[in-house]
């Protein structure tokens, strides 16, 4: 791919604007193919598990079972994998997106979010950011007890937020970069 981009940049057809545009188009095509490939692979895994008789719960149901708000992830989740023995959760989304919650907080999601899922907490998170003047990586989400009305989100600093704001999966908005 790098050689292709190098060759395109060396073309002198009509000036440098054409070569930059060609580079952009090649990058866009590569991103589209990667996204498509990941989606097909994950759907194939989902179908295989269905055929094996392993029905998956919905992601909101899984989160609820682990005493986390069911709306921590947006509505447009493509699918997810959960390895109960290792407590590893991987959530797939069709594109990079943002969700604005009722408490005015905003979370940004990568196309793949990895985390460790345990009772009342999501740790070692990769693929979620929140806006605190600048975008900051979210590393930990926790609920302290079954009756707790607070969600603790750690993004550099641990901050409590209203659990009610995260109880329902929200519609997301696609964004260009994570």
């Amino acid at each position: 791919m790098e050689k292709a981009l190098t060759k395109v940049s060396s073309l002198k057809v009509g000036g440098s604007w054409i070569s930059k545009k060609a580079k952009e188009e090649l990058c866009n095509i590569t991103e589209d193919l990667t996204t498509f490939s990941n989606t097909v692979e994950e759907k194939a895994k989902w179908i295989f598990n269905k055929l094996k008789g392993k029905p998956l719960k919905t992601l909101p149901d899984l989160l609820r079972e682990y005493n986390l708000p069911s709306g921590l992830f947006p509505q447009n989740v493509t699918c997810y994998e959960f390895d109960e023995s290792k407590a590893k959760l991987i959530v797939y989304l069709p594109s990079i997106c943002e969700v604005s919650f009722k408490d005015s907080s905003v979370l940004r999601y990568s196309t793949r979010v990895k985390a460790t899922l345990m009772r009342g907490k999501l740790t070692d998170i990769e693929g979620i950011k929140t806006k605190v003047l600048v975008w900051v990586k979210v590393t930990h989400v926790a609920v302290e007890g079954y009756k707790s009305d607070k969600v603790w989100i750690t993004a550099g600093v641990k901050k409590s937020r209203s659990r009610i704001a995260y109880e329902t999966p929200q519609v997301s908005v696609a964004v260009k970069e994570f």
Side-chain angles (χ1 to χ4, degrees):
M1 187 66 195
E2 191 63 42
K3 285 184 179 179
L5 289 175
T6 303
K7 287 183 182 177
V8 170
S9 70
S10 66
L11 289 175
K12 297 287 184 182
V13 180
S16 63
W17 181 83
I18 300 270
S19 61
K20 285 181 183 177
K21 185 72 176 165
K23 272 183 169 178
E24 287 174 19
E25 289 302 317
L26 278 174
C27 287
N28 289 339
I29 290 169
T30 302
E31 287 174 20
D32 290 345
L33 286 173
T34 302
T35 300
F36 178 74
S37 174
N38 289 342
T39 302
V40 169
E41 179 184 346
E42 295 316 310
K43 288 294 182 185
K45 285 181 185 177
W46 181 81
I47 290 169
F48 183 72
N49 284 333
K50 277 282 198 198
L51 292 174
K52 284 187 351 188
K54 285 185 170 178
L56 284 177
K57 299 173 185 126
T58 65
L59 183 58
D61 287 343
L62 178 70
L63 293 171
R64 229 178 272 113
E65 184 181 304
Y66 279 80
N67 192 34
L68 288 167
S70 56
L72 276 178
F73 289 92
Q75 288 178 354
N76 66 330
V77 167
T78 305
C79 61
Y80 75 91
E81 296 173 17
F82 180 55
D83 183 344
E84 213 167 339
S85 64
K86 296 178 183 173
K88 295 294 179 192
L89 175 67
I90 304 173
V91 178
Y92 297 92
L93 294 129
S95 63
I96 298 168
C97 61
E98 266 180 26
V99 173
S100 295
F101 292 91
K102 293 177 187 175
D103 66 350
S104 300
S105 63
V106 179
L107 293 179
R108 185 173 280 183
Y109 301 86
S110 178
T111 55
R112 184 173 70 176
V113 178
K114 293 181 179 182
T116 302
L117 176 61
M118 294 178 280
R119 188 87 38 223
K121 54 184 148 173
L122 202 55
T123 61
D124 305 322
I125 300 171
E126 295 176 23
I128 301 178
K129 290 182 180 179
T130 190
K131 184 87 174 203
V132 187
L133 297 177
V134 295
W135 288 100
V136 181
K137 181 181 172 187
V138 173
T139 56
H140 192 93
V141 175
V143 174
E144 292 181 346
Y146 284 99
K147 304 268 186 205
S148 177
D149 62 345
K150 298 283 183 201
V151 175
W152 293 89
I153 297 179
T154 305
V157 177
K158 187 175 179 180
K159 183 177 179 184
S160 72
R161 296 182 178 167
S162 172
R163 182 179 180 139
I164 282 184
Y166 299 88
E167 283 299 337
T168 306
Q170 303 293 313
V171 174
S172 65
V173 177
V175 293
K176 279 201 173 255
E177 62 181 58
F178 179 67

